[in-house]
Each structure stands twice: as C-alpha cells, then as structure tokens.
Amino acid sequence: MYNAVVPTAVPHREELRVSAWHAERQWAIWGGERAQGLPLIQGETLDLAQIVRAAQAWHDGVPLTGIARAAPFVRLTGRFEVPDGDPARLIESEWLCLRKEAAEVDWPEHHALIEAAYAEPALRQYYPFKSHWTLRFSTSIRPKLTIVPVCILAGLGEDYTVSAGYRQQHLGETATAEDAVALAVRNLPADFTLG
C-alpha cells in the first residue's frame, strides 16, 4: 500500500489518511479525531474521484454527515466529534460507536450484550471498549485507560461469561445478556469511579 495524508482546517481532527493498493486500483481513507486517535470515518472505493471529494470535504471541515453525502463510500463509525475533548461526551460517543458496530455484525449475542450494558446506568457511566470481543470498561478515556476489573464476553450460543478481567478470575456464566450485565454490576468494585 502507498499512503498520503490530507491536512484539515479543523483542530480536533487528525490528518486524513489516504491509502492506495499496490496490486489493484483501489483506495481507502481513515479520518480520526485527535483526543483518542480513533476513526470517525473510513471506507474503500475503486473511484478515485470519490477519494478526492472526501479528502476535500475533510480538509475544509465539512461535518461528518456531509462528507458521507459528498462521497457515498464513506462509512461513519458512529463516533461523533467532541471538539473540546469532554470526557463525558467521548464516553457517549464511544458507546454510540460500539452500538452501531454491534448492530452491523452478524452476532446477535454480542449485539444483545452491548445493548444490555448500555441500558445499565452503572456501566453506561464508564468508557466502554473491546479487547478480543470482550466488553471492558474504563474510568478514563483513551489513550490512558484505567481498567475496571470486570468484563463480559458473549458466547457463540446463548451463554455469557463474566470475569474480573481479561483471562482473570471467572465470576460466572449466564444465559442472557441482561443477567450477565447484572452479574457484572454486582461485582463492580466500590472504589472505581470516573476520574
């Protein structure tokens, strides 16, 4: 792959990364936000003119939905822009991204888990992230996560595993996402607050 970057007039956005395949006529973009370095937009296309439209829109500071309208190959990740880096808004943005991603994956148990965790105020206050498809939580935002010692994994059938951390103490298995979330909440340490 060959890469180029497109600067932007928007201070909370990173440069847009544009990649070209070496062996075929195809391009990809990745546009992220500065606070955490996570993607806001991404996509692949065979149409170089669409790459140019997306790059121009990113450069000019067009809102994310406007970029997707200008270049239909652009996929919005579900995250929204948080110009001031407000941690509460970044947590909300990350939940939105996880929910969008889970709805698009052909894994109903994982989707049920994300929705059940989001519906639980005790978990929704934390910054959510995934590691090996295991739902985890942090009291701080990226790049320096302060990991809450509880995580939940949706099985490929109707089972969910709750543990005290990735590959850590097994806390139990449940038949539903809601029961897994309830078990996780019962095992939240009292001293883990947002910070």
Side-chain angles (χ1 to χ4, degrees):
M1 287 185 130
Y2 297 101
N3 299 297
V5 294
V6 177
T8 180
V10 180
H12 60 272
R13 288 183 183 172
E14 293 183 340
E15 295 174 320
L16 182 72
R17 298 180 205 163
V18 180
S19 303
W21 270 251
H22 177 70
E24 59 186 292
R25 184 180 166 88
Q26 186 168 345
W27 295 271
I29 62 163
W30 187 97
E33 49 83 35
R34 284 195 197 282
Q36 304 176 95
L38 296 173
L40 297 167
I41 64 170
Q42 49 196 12
E44 299 176 358
T45 183
L46 301 173
D47 185 353
L48 185 56
Q50 285 208 33
I51 291 289
V52 172
R53 285 194 292 276
Q56 185 67 55
W58 184 265
H59 174 271
D60 293 346
V62 171
L64 301 177
T65 55
I67 296 171
R69 278 194 304 273
F73 80 96
V74 170
R75 185 176 71 80
L76 303 178
T77 63
R79 291 183 184 95
F80 53 83
E81 294 185 273
V82 184
D84 63 357
D86 175 41
R89 297 276 293 147
L90 288 170
I91 289 169
E92 183 182 344
S93 175
E94 199 59 24
W95 274 110
L96 184 63
C97 177
L98 285 181
R99 293 177 72 205
K100 181 180 187 302
E101 179 185 74
E104 295 171 351
V105 173
D106 186 22
W107 187 2
E109 295 84 7
H110 179 70
H111 185 211
L113 171 59
I114 298 298
E115 290 300 326
Y118 180 75
E120 172 53 60
L123 295 180
R124 193 171 56 240
Q125 71 174 330
Y126 293 117
Y127 181 87
F129 68 100
K130 288 185 322 198
S131 175
H132 300 82
W133 291 96
T134 300
L135 180 59
R136 311 219 28 215
F137 307 94
S138 173
T139 60
S140 58
I141 61 168
R142 292 179 195 271
K144 294 186 178 184
L145 298 177
T146 305
I147 297 173
V148 176
V150 66
C151 62
I152 314 168
L153 174 65
L156 294 175
E158 292 189 20
D159 64 315
Y160 297 83
T161 303
V162 181
S163 60
Y166 185 70
R167 295 184 179 227
Q168 303 266 333
Q169 178 188 1
H170 181 79
L171 299 173
E173 292 186 19
T174 67
T176 68
E178 292 78 13
D179 288 345
V181 165
L183 178 59
V185 169
R186 285 194 303 275
N187 283 279
L188 285 173
D191 58 344
F192 268 77
T193 58
L194 293 176

